[in-house]
Amino acid sequence: GEVKLVKVPGSKGSFEILKNHAPIISTLEHGEIKIITMQDRITSYEISGGVIEVKQNIVIILAESVKT
């Protein structure tokens, strides 16, 4: 769905993805993914690592393991 913000634990430090973010591919470390919806609902997931790709306002996250 459409969201305001996605915050991820990048390998070089955490970072946030907002609308119209530049294309990026990055590895992810153990940590928390936080998603804020357009209605300000916050959802968090604990991951053990993975990869994120952002391109044309589409975010794809491949996590090694996820805890809600």
Side-chain angles (χ1 to χ4, degrees), residues 1 4-5 11 16 19-20 24 29-31 33 36-38 46 56-57 61 63:
K4 282 185 185 178
L5 176 140
S11 298
E16 297 178 349
K19 186 175 182 177
N20 297 323
I24 185 172
E29 296 293 321
H30 174 80
I33 293 175
I36 302 176
T37 67
M38 299 303 282
E46 187 77 23
Q56 297 177 346
N57 289 320
I61 298 173

Side-chain angles (χ1 to χ4, degrees), residues 6 8-9 17 24 26 28 34 36-39 42 45 51-56 58 60:
V6 177
V8 295
I17 306 296
I24 185 172
S26 178
L28 301 175
K34 182 161 67 170
I36 302 176
T37 67
M38 299 303 282
Q39 296 78 27
I42 299 172
Y45 300 94
V51 177
I52 184 170
E53 178 184 18
V54 179
K55 185 177 178 184
Q56 297 177 346
I58 296 173
I60 298 171

